[in-house]
Amino acid sequence: MGSLPQVVEECFGLLKLYSDGSISRSPNISFDVPFINDNSILYKDLIFNEKNDLRLRLYKRTSIVNSSTKLPIVFYFHGGGFCFGSRTFPNNHNICVRLASILRAAVIEPDYRLAPEHRLPAALEDACCALKWLQGQAIMHANEMDTWLGEVDFDWVFVLGYSSGGNLAHHLAARLGPGSVELAPVRVRGYVLMSPFFGGCERTRSEEERPIDGIWTLEMYDRFWRLTVPTRATQDHPLVNPFGPSGPSLATVDLDPLVVVVGGCEILRDRVENYARKLKEMGKKIEYVELEEEQHGYFTDHPLPAAAQRVIQFIKRFMAEN
């Protein structure tokens, strides 16, 4: 009689990977976060990928002040280390309600397949699929598209991502290039990367000197990557480390404007700052924003921290300028 499989990786007691490759995931995740009920914002869920049964949540204001003005579109990709997260989580839902309200935009939050059941590049493929879904809506006849999208401007789209969602935002920017021509008539005008979850085999100073960041630790980040990267890959895989030794050079890649945000007390601080600095040195149009004294979680905590409110104001200005 063979021995029972052993747990080889575990996250918060909610996700376990066993020695035989099997995976158990608890459906019972408790939140200390209430759902925001804002009567000024409506939302509904739509399927954007039937093959993988993936849904997105679409948010819009109940009324438009000026009916002749089309709404910008904001895509929001949630965080969770590529292993957790959903449009249904209250912290993600709440931030999308606030984005729709403050930015006066239609907000779209897609789900994406999670690791380790679906390792990278699955999440990136799903992010691309969500944008392609929007393109499909844009080219439909007016009486065929979703009625909520009759009020939007498909030529005025922004991609926001937090943590692992910020990683996706980078790769979308690099893949789609300036003008996002392959999405026409959809036009992405810019990208906002908030604490993008990047990694690398070589440690940064903040990773060595600040291995604990609130509830997050460097060991937990390493565990997420072990569960997420393609089989036998390392943290220098191009989807993890944009400037790693095996990745394509970004020097010749044209990018639409970017804003990169990170907390000054984050484990990721130096890695994100290095990313922004290198792109700046390559001549990319990029703005780097560091939030002093902030740790990871500043954007989705409840109640909404002052830092998150500042970031949303940065986003609002960025959208107005682009």
Side-chain angles (χ1 to χ4, degrees):
M1 183 174 179
S3 59
L4 294 174
Q6 304 297 307
V7 176
V8 293
E9 298 284 3
E10 180 177 351
C11 290
F12 306 121
L14 300 170
L15 175 63
K16 296 178 182 179
L17 174 65
Y18 294 88
S19 54
D20 65 352
S22 60
I23 297 163
S24 67
R25 184 186 288 273
S26 171
N28 303 314
I29 300 180
S30 60
F31 294 92
D32 260 347
V33 179
F35 277 94
I36 291 178
N37 291 316
D38 185 335
N39 292 331
S40 70
I41 303 298
L42 300 173
Y43 67 90
K44 66 178 178 179
D45 292 339
L46 300 167
I47 293 178
F48 73 92
N49 184 322
E50 292 187 0
K51 177 182 177 182
N52 294 313
D53 194 28
L54 289 173
R55 290 166 168 78
L56 55 78
R57 183 161 288 181
L58 173 60
Y59 299 79
K60 72 157 194 166
R61 296 171 64 87
T62 54
S63 61
I64 302 176
V65 176
N66 184 351
S67 59
S68 65
T69 302
K70 296 284 189 178
L71 296 175
I73 301 170
V74 170
F75 267 88
Y76 176 73
F77 291 97
H78 65 72
F82 290 111
C83 296
F84 296 97
S86 166
R87 74 196 187 286
T88 64
F89 283 14
N91 56 335
N92 295 329
H93 170 83
N94 293 349
I95 197 64
C96 288
V97 168
R98 289 174 170 126
L99 289 170
S101 176
I102 299 172
L103 300 179
R104 297 184 177 273
V107 175
I108 298 173
E109 183 185 7
D111 281 340
Y112 50 85
R113 286 172 292 169
L114 301 175
E117 296 93 331
H118 305 281
R119 291 174 176 267
L120 290 173
L124 179 58
E125 292 169 352
D126 297 339
C128 292
C129 183
L131 286 163
K132 286 287 189 180
W133 171 86
L134 184 66
Q135 180 188 37
Q137 293 290 315
I139 61 180
M140 282 183 181
H141 192 274
N143 62 6
E144 295 177 326
M145 74 167 62
D146 189 276
T147 55
W148 283 21
L149 295 175
E151 303 169 347
V152 304
D153 185 348
F154 292 104
D155 190 56
W156 194 16
V157 180
F158 295 85
V159 172
L160 280 56
Y162 180 65
S163 195
S164 52
N167 176 301
L168 294 177
H170 159 77
H171 289 291
L172 287 170
R175 175 174 294 195
L176 295 174
S180 52
V181 177
E182 68 180 77
L183 293 178
V186 171
R187 170 70 159 87
V188 179
R189 297 284 173 175
Y191 299 81
V192 180
L193 286 60
M194 294 169 283
S195 301
F197 187 37
F198 296 137
C201 292
E202 183 178 345
R203 297 297 195 199
T204 66
R205 183 174 175 178
S206 63
E207 289 169 346
E208 292 177 337
E209 297 182 354
R210 195 180 296 120
I212 299 177
D213 172 4
I215 67 169
W216 304 106
T217 67
L218 183 58
E219 190 279 330
M220 177 58 71
Y221 286 174
D222 287 343
R223 192 179 310 172
F224 280 147
W225 286 127
R226 290 195 298 270
L227 290 166
T228 298
V229 297
T231 305
R232 293 185 293 278
T234 71
Q235 285 192 39
D236 276 337
H237 189 281
L239 292 175
V240 180
N241 185 357
F243 290 102
S246 60
S249 173
L250 292 172
T252 58
V253 177
D254 291 330
L255 301 171
D256 276 321
L258 298 102
V259 171
V260 178
V261 185
V262 71
C265 291
E266 289 197 59
I267 296 170
L268 293 169
R269 186 266 170 201
D270 285 4
R271 192 169 295 280
V272 174
E273 190 276 335
N274 289 341
Y275 164 85
R277 176 176 46 79
K278 288 179 179 178
L279 288 183
K280 187 83 169 178
E281 291 171 351
M282 291 176 178
K284 314 302 182 189
K285 187 177 180 181
I286 183 168
E287 181 177 358
Y288 173 72
V289 179
E290 184 171 320
L291 304 171
E292 293 185 10
E293 305 304 321
E294 294 297 330
Q295 296 181 327
H296 202 68
Y298 61 83
F299 195 65
T300 55
D301 284 348
H302 181 85
L304 189 67
Q309 297 180 47
R310 286 168 51 205
V311 172
I312 294 175
Q313 292 304 315
F314 286 137
I315 296 169
K316 189 173 185 178
R317 175 178 56 80
F318 179 66
M319 291 173 62
E321 293 173 351
N322 293 280

